[in-house]
Amino acid sequence: VITIGLDAGGSAIKGVRLEGERIAAELRRPHHGVDLIGLIVAAAAELSTPDVEAVGVGLAGLVRHPGGEFVWGPHLPLFNVETRPILEEKLALPVAVDNDANLAALAESRMGVARDRSHVLVLSFGSGIGGGLILGGRVYRGTSFAGEVGHMRLTEAGDLCACGNRGCWETLVSGSVLDRAARRILDRNATGEDLVAAADRGDAEAIAALAEAGRWLGIGVANLVAVLDPELVVVGGAAAQAGEWLLEPARMAMRENLRSDGHRPLPRVVRAGLGPIAAAIGAAILAGEEYSGDNDGDE
Amino acid sequence: VITIGLDAGGSAIKGVRLEGERIAAELRRPHHGVDLIGLIVAAAAELSTPDVEAVGVGLAGLVRHPGGEFVWGPHLPLFNVETRPILEEKLALPVAVDNDANLAALAESRMGVARDRSHVLVLSFGSGIGGGLILGGRVYRGTSFAGEVGHMRLTEAGDLCACGNRGCWETLVSGSVLDRAARRILDRNATGEDLVAAADRGDAEAIAALAEAGRWLGIGVANLVAVLDPELVVVGGAAAQAGEWLLEPARMAMRENLRSDGHRPLPRVVRAGLGPIAAAIGAAILAGEEYSGDNDGDE
């Protein structure tokens, strides 16, 4: 089956054409929050060939599946938009729409590091933490919006979150948290990547900042393991780029926070396999699963 | 289908004989942690009739399903015991074994307040917090031991938990937490029930202690709602007995802690419907579902 997958994030649309498991074409188009639907349609047209059977679209925010209503998201200029019927009309193809983190998880479970695993937690670190849950081999969405793991509250202190609360997981570890640490430790234009480079050079303060963020990564993962008992935890985005500076402290904190569980094996915590186009790949996979009759990709 | 369900908790074995959805017989036998398997067999024999087709058993602790290995639990005198083959031999009937909180959740979803709901979180408050997850209409177990929600870490402070950590949810709200508050506020023999009675009489300190425990109940529920987005949250055990003194502050804290979610409906938080025999009923239901071919009750 040949499908197109598109992922509309806060600053760019990424897209792939997927032929079976082969990425036959790929694009990336920055956007400025204007006419997002138009840009999605243009990106699909650019990737299209006559044999494309369906299009999948990932959106950063609260999306109702399978209806495709984009309810709300802080990074996209959409609010209560019925995206799926609009896109199906403009593209004249079946369209599947889902939350981007769900799609990254689907992609890792079908073509990435979580292939053939039944119960997988996939975390995508950017300005916040997106969570995708593969439970029983399928994307778990709950009533609509499961996987909003970044808003688990882990401490009573902590910085104010975009959601209005304090102590949310994503205020303690995320791409933005690493960027802020970089600005504090290095200079005001530094980013999380610079922080990792500084750690690689042996900068003790950078190493400590990554370890502290990693500790919070591990505490949040421990909570999710207690609740969901996945076989595998997959970490993507900024946290994957930070690599072992973040992941090793995270694994330690996870073990430390699941003490009673000397009685059970803990899941491995690994880096994502598909990189920044994971959600676009997942969108193409979802479109294929929903419109080719293989498997509905839903739970 | 006619089945027997037994629930072995820390101090008593409870049992039912279930004929369809009718509870045809019921028993409760205290135990002192000696010969638990023998007591379970005796309880099954007492409830049995010639037309019983299968037996279900709930155990408080980490249980592997469907194999029936009891791995560990702080309240039962068992450790790495293959309970299912032993019980099947002694009872000469098919036996299903599962964690007690999973079974309470199954019971609420089949015969209680969560009937016909797909995604339900069922919390059983005793000395700790047992969690049972009904996801997609089935008990979700993850790799083996999902639902250990009492060990989510919610704060960096807090009392030491039995697991060795600090800040676990069950150190902040549970039957034991209410008992301790009662001893502190009322007298050294007082229990959580006395605390609720004092609140009913207008005792401001008792009301405040219940509200504080309720606030923590709501914070933990908010975290689970962010992750799982259930349709319904069911609260059983000591927390149900404390009623609105606990549940109303819990609902307030849940809303307060899911602020970004003005964009989505929040689940109702309600008291359990089946009371202290919920897990025994669930055990009987599981046995029926696994051995009558209706539905495997598994995910």
Side-chain angles (χ1 to χ4, degrees):
Chain A
V1 54
I2 301 181
T3 58
I4 287 170
L6 298 162
D7 169 30
S11 57
I13 294 172
K14 287 167 247 172
V16 298
R17 189 174 68 249
L18 199 64
E19 303 187 359
E21 292 203 352
R22 191 174 72 87
I23 296 166
E26 194 177 332
L27 66 72
R28 185 178 191 286
R29 296 286 172 268
H31 71 77
H32 303 284
V34 180
D35 189 23
L36 193 66
I37 296 285
L39 292 170
I40 289 171
V41 170
E46 205 173 322
L47 287 165
S48 207
T49 58
D51 45 10
V52 165
E53 291 176 51
V55 177
V57 176
L59 299 171
L62 302 180
V63 181
R64 281 190 215 282
H65 178 272
E69 184 190 0
F70 185 87
V71 176
W72 178 80
H75 306 297
L76 294 184
L78 299 173
F79 182 61
N80 282 336
V81 179
E82 298 283 352
T83 60
R84 192 178 135 202
I86 295 171
L87 290 168
E88 290 192 329
E89 199 196 319
K90 290 189 192 274
L91 293 169
L93 281 171
V95 174
V97 184
D98 201 353
N99 168 272
D100 56 352
N102 288 352
L103 293 174
L106 181 64
E108 293 292 345
S109 86
R110 296 293 189 272
M111 288 174 50
V113 293
R115 197 190 274 264
D116 302 325
R117 301 302 183 106
S118 291
H119 307 303
V120 185
L121 168 63
V122 180
L123 302 171
S124 301
F125 286 78
S127 51
I129 308 178
L133 310 179
I134 302 294
L135 307 183
R138 293 164 170 202
V139 175
Y140 174 78
R141 300 179 180 88
T143 303
S144 294
F145 307 130
E148 292 289 313
V149 300
H151 299 288
M152 283 195 300
R153 179 175 155 172
L154 302 188
T155 173
E156 295 198 85
D159 292 328
L160 199 64
C161 183
C163 78
N165 247 335
R166 281 184 196 279
C168 291
W169 192 20
E170 67 182 43
T171 66
L172 299 158
V173 55
S174 70
S176 310
V177 168
L178 300 187
D179 289 342
R180 275 204 303 280
R183 290 196 295 272
R184 180 170 50 76
I185 294 169
L186 304 173
D187 71 73
R188 67 179 180 184
N189 298 313
T191 66
E193 277 177 62
D194 300 317
L195 191 72
V196 175
D200 288 338
R201 290 192 307 270
D203 181 318
E205 224 180 328
I207 291 170
L210 287 162
E212 176 63 6
R215 187 175 76 87
W216 283 112
L217 173 54
I219 291 172
V221 167
N223 280 6
L224 291 168
V225 169
V227 176
L228 296 171
D229 196 14
E231 297 165 75
L232 187 67
V233 178
V234 177
V235 171
Q241 288 154 27
E244 294 304 308
W245 293 118
L246 201 70
L247 293 184
E248 199 41 45
R251 293 186 193 104
M252 262 178 63
M254 176 185 77
R255 285 191 295 268
E256 175 78 9
N257 280 272
L258 288 168
R259 291 193 193 193
S260 66
D261 297 349
H263 301 284
R264 72 189 199 184
L266 294 179
R268 284 192 310 136
V269 179
V270 301
R271 282 200 245 187
L274 299 171
I277 57 168
I281 295 172
I285 293 170
L286 183 73
E289 291 189 355
E290 294 199 346
Y291 297 106
S292 72
D294 295 6
N295 176 327
D296 69 5
D298 192 7
E299 62 64 51
Chain B
V1 53
I2 301 180
T3 58
I4 288 169
L6 299 162
D7 169 31
S11 58
I13 295 171
K14 287 168 247 173
V16 297
R17 188 173 69 249
L18 200 64
E19 304 187 357
E21 293 202 351
R22 192 174 72 88
I23 297 166
E26 192 177 333
L27 67 72
R28 185 178 190 287
R29 296 285 172 269
H31 72 79
H32 305 283
V34 179
D35 188 25
L36 193 66
I37 297 285
L39 291 171
I40 289 171
V41 171
E46 206 173 322
L47 287 164
S48 208
T49 57
D51 45 10
V52 166
E53 290 176 51
V55 176
V57 176
L59 299 172
L62 302 180
V63 180
R64 281 191 215 282
H65 178 271
E69 183 190 0
F70 185 86
V71 176
W72 178 79
H75 305 297
L76 294 184
L78 298 174
F79 182 60
N80 282 336
V81 178
E82 297 284 351
T83 59
R84 193 178 134 201
I86 296 170
L87 290 168
E88 289 193 330
E89 199 197 317
K90 290 188 191 277
L91 292 169
L93 280 171
V95 173
V97 183
D98 201 352
N99 167 272
D100 55 350
N102 288 352
L103 294 173
L106 181 65
E108 292 292 344
S109 85
R110 297 293 189 270
M111 288 172 52
V113 292
R115 196 189 275 261
D116 301 325
R117 300 301 182 108
S118 289
H119 308 302
V120 186
L121 168 63
V122 180
L123 301 170
S124 300
F125 287 77
S127 51
I129 308 177
L133 309 179
I134 302 294
L135 306 183
R138 294 166 169 200
V139 175
Y140 173 77
R141 300 178 180 90
T143 304
S144 295
F145 307 130
E148 292 289 312
V149 300
H151 299 288
M152 282 194 302
R153 179 177 155 171
L154 302 187
T155 175
E156 296 198 85
D159 293 328
L160 200 64
C161 182
C163 78
N165 247 335
R166 282 185 194 278
C168 290
W169 192 20
E170 67 182 46
T171 66
L172 300 158
V173 54
S174 69
S176 309
V177 167
L178 300 186
D179 289 342
R180 275 204 303 279
R183 289 197 296 271
R184 179 169 52 76
I185 294 168
L186 303 172
D187 70 74
R188 66 180 181 184
N189 299 313
T191 67
E193 277 177 63
D194 300 317
L195 190 71
V196 175
D200 288 338
R201 290 191 307 269
D203 181 319
E205 224 180 330
I207 291 171
L210 287 162
E212 176 64 6
R215 187 176 75 86
W216 282 112
L217 172 55
I219 291 172
V221 167
N223 281 6
L224 292 168
V225 169
V227 176
L228 296 170
D229 196 14
E231 296 165 75
L232 186 68
V233 178
V234 177
V235 171
Q241 288 154 26
E244 295 303 308
W245 294 118
L246 201 69
L247 292 184
E248 199 42 44
R251 291 185 195 104
M252 261 177 62
M254 176 183 76
R255 284 191 295 267
E256 175 78 11
N257 280 272
L258 287 169
R259 289 192 194 191
S260 66
D261 298 349
H263 301 284
R264 70 187 202 188
L266 294 178
R268 284 193 310 134
V269 178
V270 301
R271 283 199 246 189
L274 299 172
I277 57 168
I281 294 171
I285 292 170
L286 184 72
E289 292 189 355
E290 294 198 349
Y291 297 105
S292 72
D294 292 7
N295 175 327
D296 69 5
D298 192 6
E299 61 66 46

